Amino acid sequence: MALYHRTSNRTPLTLDVKIRHMGKDIGETCTRNISPFGAFIEMPESELSTDDFVEMYFMDEVKKDAYLLQKGLITHSSQEGIGVLFAYDSAEFREMLHEKMMKRHQNKIFSS
């Protein structure tokens, strides 16, 4: 199995994220889909490429608009954005992501 092959399913979920690379702010954007292991982040015309290491700051509204840091390796780059494999797993990030996924699931059930 190659490192660059995604082995888990991602949930279609839009989360705001700030991207930094080598100490430089790249921009504010959003995820297209995400899992506890990685995400696809919309970044048209990105200057980033495969094997770049990035810092991602996700907004945690529950904690008064604090940012949760995730670091990751870009495993895929296209005209639409970047696929990122998260480098580590923090309890705070996993909790925030679980809450967002549950809220999305509940909204989907109620709207059906």
Side-chain angles (χ1 to χ4, degrees):
M1 179 176 78
L3 172 67
Y4 299 112
H5 182 71
R6 180 166 30 112
T7 58
S8 64
N9 291 327
R10 292 188 186 149
T11 301
L13 185 63
T14 303
L15 299 176
D16 292 333
V17 60
K18 292 182 181 183
I19 306 291
R20 290 178 56 91
H21 173 63
M22 297 179 67
K24 177 183 170 191
D25 287 328
I26 301 299
E28 295 183 31
T29 184
C30 63
T31 60
R32 180 179 294 173
N33 54 54
I34 193 165
S35 79
F37 309 106
F40 186 83
I41 300 172
E42 295 182 354
M43 294 195 73
E45 303 176 22
S46 171
E47 59 193 64
L48 301 172
S49 59
T50 302
D51 295 330
D52 282 345
F53 198 68
V54 293
E55 294 178 343
M56 298 154 282
Y57 295 87
F58 292 91
M59 179 71 73
D60 185 2
E61 295 97 5
V62 174
K63 296 189 177 178
K64 299 182 181 179
D65 295 333
Y67 283 98
L68 298 174
L69 171 64
Q70 282 291 96
K71 295 181 181 181
L73 179 71
I74 297 176
T75 58
H76 172 76
S77 181
S78 72
Q79 293 177 347
E80 296 178 18
I82 56 174
V84 179
L85 176 67
F86 295 146
Y88 64 88
D89 184 30
S90 72
E92 294 86 6
F93 178 77
R94 190 174 282 263
E95 180 180 322
M96 181 273 300
L97 185 57
H98 178 74
E99 288 176 20
K100 294 280 189 180
M101 287 179 169
M102 291 303 295
K103 188 181 290 187
R104 179 189 176 281
H105 181 69
Q106 289 172 347
N107 289 342
K108 193 174 179 182
I109 289 172
F110 291 133
S111 66
S112 296

